[in-house]
Amino acid sequence: QVHLVEFGGGSVQAGGSLRLSCRASGRTFSDYVLGWFRQAPGEEREFVAAISRTGTSTYYADSVKGRVTISRDNAKNTGYLQIYSLKPEDTAIYYCAFRTDWDPTNSNYNYWGQGTQVAVSS
């Protein structure tokens, strides 16, 4: 079993930045592809970004490309999502998730965290 915990969310003004973290325990961190999703109020959960097991491959949703950087530190069992130039439409609960294969936008991930709230004010 894998346990994922996100942190780093908060309330920021538009134009600001945040770094979200996802800490894993229970299994070998580097065995999994790491993905980030978000869900805004009243909306469906959407894919944000994903990174391969070794960190050599990344994939971003068009809606965030250029404003988001996904990374991971396998030695620290932690993944990151840096979001720049935050917009009010980035307001959502952000979730990290693990999967074993490289199919980043497919929401059928094996393990999910509980989410961290990001609120962006204009």
PDB file of all heavy atoms in Angstrom, residues 43-78:
ATOM      1  N   GLU A  43     -16.504  21.271 -10.836  1.00  0.00           N
ATOM      2  CA  GLU A  43     -15.886  20.782 -12.071  1.00  0.00           C
ATOM      3  C   GLU A  43     -15.376  19.362 -11.901  1.00  0.00           C
ATOM      4  O   GLU A  43     -15.226  18.874 -10.779  1.00  0.00           O
ATOM      5  CB  GLU A  43     -14.712  21.689 -12.470  1.00  0.00           C
ATOM      6  CG  GLU A  43     -15.068  23.150 -12.673  1.00  0.00           C
ATOM      7  CD  GLU A  43     -15.905  23.365 -13.922  1.00  0.00           C
ATOM      8  OE1 GLU A  43     -15.768  22.558 -14.865  1.00  0.00           O
ATOM      9  OE2 GLU A  43     -16.698  24.330 -13.943  1.00  0.00           O
ATOM     10  N   GLU A  44     -15.100  18.720 -13.013  1.00  0.00           N
ATOM     11  CA  GLU A  44     -14.501  17.403 -12.956  1.00  0.00           C
ATOM     12  C   GLU A  44     -13.001  17.524 -12.688  1.00  0.00           C
ATOM     13  O   GLU A  44     -12.378  18.543 -12.982  1.00  0.00           O
ATOM     14  CB  GLU A  44     -14.731  16.657 -14.276  1.00  0.00           C
ATOM     15  CG  GLU A  44     -16.184  16.321 -14.548  1.00  0.00           C
ATOM     16  CD  GLU A  44     -16.360  15.426 -15.751  1.00  0.00           C
ATOM     17  OE1 GLU A  44     -15.360  15.175 -16.458  1.00  0.00           O
ATOM     18  OE2 GLU A  44     -17.492  14.981 -15.988  1.00  0.00           O
ATOM     19  N   ARG A  45     -12.463  16.473 -12.134  1.00  0.00           N
ATOM     20  CA  ARG A  45     -11.018  16.446 -11.904  1.00  0.00           C
ATOM     21  C   ARG A  45     -10.301  16.454 -13.244  1.00  0.00           C
ATOM     22  O   ARG A  45     -10.709  15.750 -14.181  1.00  0.00           O
ATOM     23  CB  ARG A  45     -10.659  15.205 -11.107  1.00  0.00           C
ATOM     24  CG  ARG A  45      -9.212  15.135 -10.646  1.00  0.00           C
ATOM     25  CD  ARG A  45      -9.033  14.028  -9.632  1.00  0.00           C
ATOM     26  NE  ARG A  45      -9.522  12.753 -10.131  1.00  0.00           N
ATOM     27  CZ  ARG A  45      -9.686  11.679  -9.368  1.00  0.00           C
ATOM     28  NH1 ARG A  45      -9.441  11.739  -8.066  1.00  0.00           N
ATOM     29  NH2 ARG A  45     -10.107  10.543  -9.892  1.00  0.00           N
ATOM     30  N   GLU A  46      -9.233  17.234 -13.341  1.00  0.00           N
ATOM     31  CA  GLU A  46      -8.496  17.316 -14.596  1.00  0.00           C
ATOM     32  C   GLU A  46      -7.015  17.082 -14.372  1.00  0.00           C
ATOM     33  O   GLU A  46      -6.457  17.412 -13.323  1.00  0.00           O
ATOM     34  CB  GLU A  46      -8.713  18.678 -15.269  1.00  0.00           C
ATOM     35  CG  GLU A  46      -8.137  19.864 -14.529  1.00  0.00           C
ATOM     36  CD  GLU A  46      -8.162  21.149 -15.357  1.00  0.00           C
ATOM     37  OE1 GLU A  46      -8.435  21.093 -16.567  1.00  0.00           O
ATOM     38  OE2 GLU A  46      -7.877  22.211 -14.758  1.00  0.00           O
ATOM     39  N   PHE A  47      -6.397  16.539 -15.395  1.00  0.00           N
ATOM     40  CA  PHE A  47      -4.963  16.275 -15.376  1.00  0.00           C
ATOM     41  C   PHE A  47      -4.192  17.586 -15.438  1.00  0.00           C
ATOM     42  O   PHE A  47      -4.579  18.517 -16.161  1.00  0.00           O
ATOM     43  CB  PHE A  47      -4.604  15.385 -16.568  1.00  0.00           C
ATOM     44  CG  PHE A  47      -3.130  15.259 -16.823  1.00  0.00           C
ATOM     45  CD1 PHE A  47      -2.356  14.420 -16.051  1.00  0.00           C
ATOM     46  CD2 PHE A  47      -2.528  16.001 -17.826  1.00  0.00           C
ATOM     47  CE1 PHE A  47      -1.005  14.305 -16.280  1.00  0.00           C
ATOM     48  CE2 PHE A  47      -1.175  15.905 -18.066  1.00  0.00           C
ATOM     49  CZ  PHE A  47      -0.408  15.050 -17.290  1.00  0.00           C
ATOM     50  N   VAL A  48      -3.081  17.648 -14.687  1.00  0.00           N
ATOM     51  CA  VAL A  48      -2.219  18.822 -14.715  1.00  0.00           C
ATOM     52  C   VAL A  48      -0.842  18.486 -15.296  1.00  0.00           C
ATOM     53  O   VAL A  48      -0.389  19.112 -16.252  1.00  0.00           O
ATOM     54  CB  VAL A  48      -2.059  19.428 -13.306  1.00  0.00           C
ATOM     55  CG1 VAL A  48      -1.099  20.608 -13.333  1.00  0.00           C
ATOM     56  CG2 VAL A  48      -3.413  19.845 -12.737  1.00  0.00           C
ATOM     57  N   ALA A  49      -0.191  17.491 -14.698  1.00  0.00           N
ATOM     58  CA  ALA A  49       1.167  17.171 -15.137  1.00  0.00           C
ATOM     59  C   ALA A  49       1.536  15.788 -14.640  1.00  0.00           C
ATOM     60  O   ALA A  49       0.937  15.275 -13.686  1.00  0.00           O
ATOM     61  CB  ALA A  49       2.170  18.189 -14.611  1.00  0.00           C
ATOM     62  N   ALA A  50       2.545  15.197 -15.281  1.00  0.00           N
ATOM     63  CA  ALA A  50       3.045  13.894 -14.848  1.00  0.00           C
ATOM     64  C   ALA A  50       4.541  13.816 -15.121  1.00  0.00           C
ATOM     65  O   ALA A  50       5.066  14.506 -16.006  1.00  0.00           O
ATOM     66  CB  ALA A  50       2.327  12.758 -15.565  1.00  0.00           C
ATOM     67  N   ILE A  51       5.201  12.958 -14.356  1.00  0.00           N
ATOM     68  CA  ILE A  51       6.635  12.772 -14.508  1.00  0.00           C
ATOM     69  C   ILE A  51       6.946  11.286 -14.391  1.00  0.00           C
ATOM     70  O   ILE A  51       6.343  10.584 -13.576  1.00  0.00           O
ATOM     71  CB  ILE A  51       7.414  13.612 -13.465  1.00  0.00           C
ATOM     72  CG1 ILE A  51       8.917  13.568 -13.710  1.00  0.00           C
ATOM     73  CG2 ILE A  51       7.066  13.191 -12.037  1.00  0.00           C
ATOM     74  CD1 ILE A  51       9.691  14.621 -12.907  1.00  0.00           C
ATOM     75  N   SER A  52       7.872  10.836 -15.203  1.00  0.00           N
ATOM     76  CA  SER A  52       8.218   9.425 -15.221  1.00  0.00           C
ATOM     77  C   SER A  52       8.980   9.019 -13.961  1.00  0.00           C
ATOM     78  O   SER A  52       9.367   9.867 -13.153  1.00  0.00           O
ATOM     79  CB  SER A  52       9.062   9.118 -16.460  1.00  0.00           C
ATOM     80  OG  SER A  52      10.270   9.860 -16.434  1.00  0.00           O
ATOM     81  N   ARG A  53       9.220   7.734 -13.837  1.00  0.00           N
ATOM     82  CA  ARG A  53       9.861   7.204 -12.621  1.00  0.00           C
ATOM     83  C   ARG A  53      11.213   7.836 -12.346  1.00  0.00           C
ATOM     84  O   ARG A  53      11.536   8.145 -11.203  1.00  0.00           O
ATOM     85  CB  ARG A  53      10.024   5.694 -12.753  1.00  0.00           C
ATOM     86  CG  ARG A  53       8.735   4.913 -12.838  1.00  0.00           C
ATOM     87  CD  ARG A  53       9.030   3.423 -12.974  1.00  0.00           C
ATOM     88  NE  ARG A  53       7.844   2.647 -13.232  1.00  0.00           N
ATOM     89  CZ  ARG A  53       7.338   2.466 -14.441  1.00  0.00           C
ATOM     90  NH1 ARG A  53       7.914   2.997 -15.494  1.00  0.00           N
ATOM     91  NH2 ARG A  53       6.260   1.721 -14.591  1.00  0.00           N
ATOM     92  N   THR A  54      11.990   8.023 -13.373  1.00  0.00           N
ATOM     93  CA  THR A  54      13.336   8.578 -13.184  1.00  0.00           C
ATOM     94  C   THR A  54      13.375  10.091 -13.326  1.00  0.00           C
ATOM     95  O   THR A  54      14.398  10.707 -13.066  1.00  0.00           O
ATOM     96  CB  THR A  54      14.306   7.975 -14.200  1.00  0.00           C
ATOM     97  OG1 THR A  54      13.839   8.286 -15.522  1.00  0.00           O
ATOM     98  CG2 THR A  54      14.410   6.461 -14.035  1.00  0.00           C
ATOM     99  N   GLY A  55      12.271  10.662 -13.756  1.00  0.00           N
ATOM    100  CA  GLY A  55      12.223  12.104 -13.946  1.00  0.00           C
ATOM    101  C   GLY A  55      12.666  12.575 -15.316  1.00  0.00           C
ATOM    102  O   GLY A  55      12.704  13.783 -15.571  1.00  0.00           O
ATOM    103  N   THR A  56      12.974  11.656 -16.195  1.00  0.00           N
ATOM    104  CA  THR A  56      13.489  12.050 -17.496  1.00  0.00           C
ATOM    105  C   THR A  56      12.399  12.483 -18.468  1.00  0.00           C
ATOM    106  O   THR A  56      12.669  13.198 -19.435  1.00  0.00           O
ATOM    107  CB  THR A  56      14.280  10.900 -18.135  1.00  0.00           C
ATOM    108  OG1 THR A  56      13.457   9.725 -18.158  1.00  0.00           O
ATOM    109  CG2 THR A  56      15.540  10.611 -17.347  1.00  0.00           C
ATOM    110  N   SER A  57      11.160  12.071 -18.201  1.00  0.00           N
ATOM    111  CA  SER A  57      10.051  12.464 -19.071  1.00  0.00           C
ATOM    112  C   SER A  57       8.987  13.179 -18.262  1.00  0.00           C
ATOM    113  O   SER A  57       8.683  12.785 -17.146  1.00  0.00           O
ATOM    114  CB  SER A  57       9.430  11.236 -19.736  1.00  0.00           C
ATOM    115  OG  SER A  57      10.342  10.587 -20.581  1.00  0.00           O
ATOM    116  N   THR A  58       8.451  14.231 -18.850  1.00  0.00           N
ATOM    117  CA  THR A  58       7.358  14.968 -18.233  1.00  0.00           C
ATOM    118  C   THR A  58       6.275  15.226 -19.275  1.00  0.00           C
ATOM    119  O   THR A  58       6.534  15.189 -20.485  1.00  0.00           O
ATOM    120  CB  THR A  58       7.817  16.324 -17.659  1.00  0.00           C
ATOM    121  OG1 THR A  58       8.409  17.099 -18.711  1.00  0.00           O
ATOM    122  CG2 THR A  58       8.821  16.136 -16.535  1.00  0.00           C
ATOM    123  N   TYR A  59       5.082  15.484 -18.789  1.00  0.00           N
ATOM    124  CA  TYR A  59       3.963  15.781 -19.678  1.00  0.00           C
ATOM    125  C   TYR A  59       3.050  16.759 -18.972  1.00  0.00           C
ATOM    126  O   TYR A  59       2.769  16.604 -17.782  1.00  0.00           O
ATOM    127  CB  TYR A  59       3.205  14.498 -20.022  1.00  0.00           C
ATOM    128  CG  TYR A  59       2.205  14.668 -21.135  1.00  0.00           C
ATOM    129  CD1 TYR A  59       2.614  14.572 -22.458  1.00  0.00           C
ATOM    130  CD2 TYR A  59       0.867  14.920 -20.867  1.00  0.00           C
ATOM    131  CE1 TYR A  59       1.695  14.733 -23.485  1.00  0.00           C
ATOM    132  CE2 TYR A  59      -0.046  15.079 -21.886  1.00  0.00           C
ATOM    133  CZ  TYR A  59       0.369  14.981 -23.197  1.00  0.00           C
ATOM    134  OH  TYR A  59      -0.524  15.153 -24.221  1.00  0.00           O
ATOM    135  N   TYR A  60       2.592  17.783 -19.710  1.00  0.00           N
ATOM    136  CA  TYR A  60       1.777  18.839 -19.110  1.00  0.00           C
ATOM    137  C   TYR A  60       0.483  19.027 -19.876  1.00  0.00           C
ATOM    138  O   TYR A  60       0.439  18.895 -21.108  1.00  0.00           O
ATOM    139  CB  TYR A  60       2.547  20.162 -19.122  1.00  0.00           C
ATOM    140  CG  TYR A  60       3.799  20.160 -18.287  1.00  0.00           C
ATOM    141  CD1 TYR A  60       5.036  19.891 -18.858  1.00  0.00           C
ATOM    142  CD2 TYR A  60       3.738  20.423 -16.925  1.00  0.00           C
ATOM    143  CE1 TYR A  60       6.188  19.883 -18.100  1.00  0.00           C
ATOM    144  CE2 TYR A  60       4.897  20.421 -16.138  1.00  0.00           C
ATOM    145  CZ  TYR A  60       6.106  20.149 -16.737  1.00  0.00           C
ATOM    146  OH  TYR A  60       7.244  20.144 -15.970  1.00  0.00           O
ATOM    147  N   ALA A  61      -0.545  19.392 -19.140  1.00  0.00           N
ATOM    148  CA  ALA A  61      -1.785  19.792 -19.782  1.00  0.00           C
ATOM    149  C   ALA A  61      -1.573  21.119 -20.503  1.00  0.00           C
ATOM    150  O   ALA A  61      -0.817  21.975 -20.036  1.00  0.00           O
ATOM    151  CB  ALA A  61      -2.888  19.937 -18.736  1.00  0.00           C
ATOM    152  N   ASP A  62      -2.236  21.286 -21.600  1.00  0.00           N
ATOM    153  CA  ASP A  62      -2.104  22.525 -22.370  1.00  0.00           C
ATOM    154  C   ASP A  62      -2.478  23.747 -21.538  1.00  0.00           C
ATOM    155  O   ASP A  62      -1.928  24.827 -21.714  1.00  0.00           O
ATOM    156  CB  ASP A  62      -2.967  22.467 -23.630  1.00  0.00           C
ATOM    157  CG  ASP A  62      -2.415  21.508 -24.671  1.00  0.00           C
ATOM    158  OD1 ASP A  62      -1.223  21.165 -24.602  1.00  0.00           O
ATOM    159  OD2 ASP A  62      -3.200  21.102 -25.551  1.00  0.00           O
ATOM    160  N   SER A  63      -3.424  23.557 -20.631  1.00  0.00           N
ATOM    161  CA  SER A  63      -3.934  24.683 -19.846  1.00  0.00           C
ATOM    162  C   SER A  63      -2.894  25.258 -18.889  1.00  0.00           C
ATOM    163  O   SER A  63      -3.039  26.395 -18.433  1.00  0.00           O
ATOM    164  CB  SER A  63      -5.175  24.259 -19.063  1.00  0.00           C
ATOM    165  OG  SER A  63      -4.877  23.182 -18.194  1.00  0.00           O
ATOM    166  N   VAL A  64      -1.866  24.498 -18.571  1.00  0.00           N
ATOM    167  CA  VAL A  64      -0.862  24.962 -17.607  1.00  0.00           C
ATOM    168  C   VAL A  64       0.548  25.004 -18.197  1.00  0.00           C
ATOM    169  O   VAL A  64       1.473  25.475 -17.530  1.00  0.00           O
ATOM    170  CB  VAL A  64      -0.849  24.082 -16.345  1.00  0.00           C
ATOM    171  CG1 VAL A  64      -2.197  24.131 -15.649  1.00  0.00           C
ATOM    172  CG2 VAL A  64      -0.438  22.656 -16.681  1.00  0.00           C
ATOM    173  N   LYS A  65       0.716  24.532 -19.412  1.00  0.00           N
ATOM    174  CA  LYS A  65       2.031  24.450 -20.008  1.00  0.00           C
ATOM    175  C   LYS A  65       2.704  25.816 -20.025  1.00  0.00           C
ATOM    176  O   LYS A  65       2.092  26.814 -20.401  1.00  0.00           O
ATOM    177  CB  LYS A  65       1.920  23.895 -21.434  1.00  0.00           C
ATOM    178  CG  LYS A  65       3.209  23.372 -22.015  1.00  0.00           C
ATOM    179  CD  LYS A  65       2.944  22.691 -23.343  1.00  0.00           C
ATOM    180  CE  LYS A  65       2.121  21.429 -23.184  1.00  0.00           C
ATOM    181  NZ  LYS A  65       1.917  20.721 -24.474  1.00  0.00           N
ATOM    182  N   GLY A  66       3.932  25.857 -19.569  1.00  0.00           N
ATOM    183  CA  GLY A  66       4.666  27.114 -19.494  1.00  0.00           C
ATOM    184  C   GLY A  66       4.566  27.796 -18.142  1.00  0.00           C
ATOM    185  O   GLY A  66       5.353  28.698 -17.842  1.00  0.00           O
ATOM    186  N   ARG A  67       3.605  27.383 -17.319  1.00  0.00           N
ATOM    187  CA  ARG A  67       3.438  27.980 -15.989  1.00  0.00           C
ATOM    188  C   ARG A  67       3.664  26.977 -14.870  1.00  0.00           C
ATOM    189  O   ARG A  67       3.628  27.345 -13.694  1.00  0.00           O
ATOM    190  CB  ARG A  67       2.026  28.557 -15.826  1.00  0.00           C
ATOM    191  CG  ARG A  67       1.695  29.699 -16.743  1.00  0.00           C
ATOM    192  CD  ARG A  67       0.426  30.399 -16.278  1.00  0.00           C
ATOM    193  NE  ARG A  67      -0.728  29.507 -16.274  1.00  0.00           N
ATOM    194  CZ  ARG A  67      -1.405  29.171 -15.175  1.00  0.00           C
ATOM    195  NH1 ARG A  67      -1.034  29.633 -13.984  1.00  0.00           N
ATOM    196  NH2 ARG A  67      -2.453  28.364 -15.251  1.00  0.00           N
ATOM    197  N   VAL A  68       3.867  25.744 -15.236  1.00  0.00           N
ATOM    198  CA  VAL A  68       3.977  24.672 -14.245  1.00  0.00           C
ATOM    199  C   VAL A  68       5.232  23.841 -14.512  1.00  0.00           C
ATOM    200  O   VAL A  68       5.544  23.557 -15.667  1.00  0.00           O
ATOM    201  CB  VAL A  68       2.718  23.775 -14.296  1.00  0.00           C
ATOM    202  CG1 VAL A  68       2.930  22.493 -13.526  1.00  0.00           C
ATOM    203  CG2 VAL A  68       1.514  24.522 -13.743  1.00  0.00           C
ATOM    204  N   THR A  69       5.893  23.465 -13.445  1.00  0.00           N
ATOM    205  CA  THR A  69       7.033  22.551 -13.552  1.00  0.00           C
ATOM    206  C   THR A  69       6.831  21.416 -12.570  1.00  0.00           C
ATOM    207  O   THR A  69       6.644  21.651 -11.367  1.00  0.00           O
ATOM    208  CB  THR A  69       8.346  23.268 -13.242  1.00  0.00           C
ATOM    209  OG1 THR A  69       8.534  24.350 -14.161  1.00  0.00           O
ATOM    210  CG2 THR A  69       9.521  22.302 -13.371  1.00  0.00           C
ATOM    211  N   ILE A  70       6.880  20.205 -13.084  1.00  0.00           N
ATOM    212  CA  ILE A  70       6.786  19.031 -12.223  1.00  0.00           C
ATOM    213  C   ILE A  70       8.187  18.462 -12.048  1.00  0.00           C
ATOM    214  O   ILE A  70       8.997  18.465 -12.991  1.00  0.00           O
ATOM    215  CB  ILE A  70       5.814  17.981 -12.799  1.00  0.00           C
ATOM    216  CG1 ILE A  70       5.584  16.850 -11.804  1.00  0.00           C
ATOM    217  CG2 ILE A  70       6.307  17.461 -14.143  1.00  0.00           C
ATOM    218  CD1 ILE A  70       4.470  15.878 -12.209  1.00  0.00           C
ATOM    219  N   SER A  71       8.479  17.994 -10.859  1.00  0.00           N
ATOM    220  CA  SER A  71       9.787  17.411 -10.587  1.00  0.00           C
ATOM    221  C   SER A  71       9.642  16.376  -9.480  1.00  0.00           C
ATOM    222  O   SER A  71       8.578  16.264  -8.860  1.00  0.00           O
ATOM    223  CB  SER A  71      10.799  18.491 -10.193  1.00  0.00           C
ATOM    224  OG  SER A  71      10.381  19.174  -9.019  1.00  0.00           O
ATOM    225  N   ARG A  72      10.717  15.640  -9.242  1.00  0.00           N
ATOM    226  CA  ARG A  72      10.694  14.648  -8.176  1.00  0.00           C
ATOM    227  C   ARG A  72      12.098  14.453  -7.645  1.00  0.00           C
ATOM    228  O   ARG A  72      13.079  14.626  -8.373  1.00  0.00           O
ATOM    229  CB  ARG A  72      10.088  13.336  -8.671  1.00  0.00           C
ATOM    230  CG  ARG A  72      10.895  12.625  -9.732  1.00  0.00           C
ATOM    231  CD  ARG A  72      10.097  11.462 -10.335  1.00  0.00           C
ATOM    232  NE  ARG A  72       9.818  10.426  -9.361  1.00  0.00           N
ATOM    233  CZ  ARG A  72       8.864   9.497  -9.523  1.00  0.00           C
ATOM    234  NH1 ARG A  72       8.126   9.489 -10.621  1.00  0.00           N
ATOM    235  NH2 ARG A  72       8.669   8.577  -8.601  1.00  0.00           N
ATOM    236  N   ASP A  73      12.152  14.080  -6.382  1.00  0.00           N
ATOM    237  CA  ASP A  73      13.411  13.733  -5.733  1.00  0.00           C
ATOM    238  C   ASP A  73      13.223  12.338  -5.148  1.00  0.00           C
ATOM    239  O   ASP A  73      12.654  12.192  -4.062  1.00  0.00           O
ATOM    240  CB  ASP A  73      13.759  14.763  -4.657  1.00  0.00           C
ATOM    241  CG  ASP A  73      15.133  14.526  -4.047  1.00  0.00           C
ATOM    242  OD1 ASP A  73      15.642  13.395  -4.132  1.00  0.00           O
ATOM    243  OD2 ASP A  73      15.681  15.467  -3.471  1.00  0.00           O
ATOM    244  N   ASN A  74      13.662  11.340  -5.869  1.00  0.00           N
ATOM    245  CA  ASN A  74      13.426   9.962  -5.434  1.00  0.00           C
ATOM    246  C   ASN A  74      14.137   9.644  -4.132  1.00  0.00           C
ATOM    247  O   ASN A  74      13.678   8.803  -3.358  1.00  0.00           O
ATOM    248  CB  ASN A  74      13.847   8.990  -6.532  1.00  0.00           C
ATOM    249  CG  ASN A  74      12.887   9.003  -7.713  1.00  0.00           C
ATOM    250  OD1 ASN A  74      11.761   9.513  -7.611  1.00  0.00           O
ATOM    251  ND2 ASN A  74      13.318   8.460  -8.839  1.00  0.00           N
ATOM    252  N   ALA A  75      15.238  10.304  -3.868  1.00  0.00           N
ATOM    253  CA  ALA A  75      15.952  10.069  -2.614  1.00  0.00           C
ATOM    254  C   ALA A  75      15.151  10.564  -1.409  1.00  0.00           C
ATOM    255  O   ALA A  75      15.317  10.058  -0.296  1.00  0.00           O
ATOM    256  CB  ALA A  75      17.308  10.755  -2.651  1.00  0.00           C
ATOM    257  N   LYS A  76      14.289  11.548  -1.644  1.00  0.00           N
ATOM    258  CA  LYS A  76      13.475  12.103  -0.557  1.00  0.00           C
ATOM    259  C   LYS A  76      12.040  11.609  -0.600  1.00  0.00           C
ATOM    260  O   LYS A  76      11.198  12.072   0.182  1.00  0.00           O
ATOM    261  CB  LYS A  76      13.490  13.632  -0.629  1.00  0.00           C
ATOM    262  CG  LYS A  76      14.853  14.253  -0.378  1.00  0.00           C
ATOM    263  CD  LYS A  76      14.780  15.770  -0.416  1.00  0.00           C
ATOM    264  CE  LYS A  76      16.137  16.381  -0.117  1.00  0.00           C
ATOM    265  NZ  LYS A  76      16.093  17.868  -0.153  1.00  0.00           N
ATOM    266  N   ASN A  77      11.742  10.693  -1.547  1.00  0.00           N
ATOM    267  CA  ASN A  77      10.366  10.172  -1.685  1.00  0.00           C
ATOM    268  C   ASN A  77       9.351  11.298  -1.842  1.00  0.00           C
ATOM    269  O   ASN A  77       8.224  11.218  -1.331  1.00  0.00           O
ATOM    270  CB  ASN A  77       9.978   9.316  -0.480  1.00  0.00           C
ATOM    271  CG  ASN A  77      10.764   8.030  -0.418  1.00  0.00           C
ATOM    272  OD1 ASN A  77      11.374   7.610  -1.397  1.00  0.00           O
ATOM    273  ND2 ASN A  77      10.756   7.397   0.739  1.00  0.00           N
ATOM    274  N   THR A  78       9.732  12.328  -2.573  1.00  0.00           N
ATOM    275  CA  THR A  78       8.886  13.509  -2.676  1.00  0.00           C
ATOM    276  C   THR A  78       8.812  14.001  -4.121  1.00  0.00           C
ATOM    277  O   THR A  78       9.830  14.036  -4.813  1.00  0.00           O
ATOM    278  CB  THR A  78       9.409  14.637  -1.771  1.00  0.00           C
ATOM    279  OG1 THR A  78       9.482  14.160  -0.430  1.00  0.00           O
ATOM    280  CG2 THR A  78       8.480  15.842  -1.811  1.00  0.00           C
TER     281      THR A  78
END
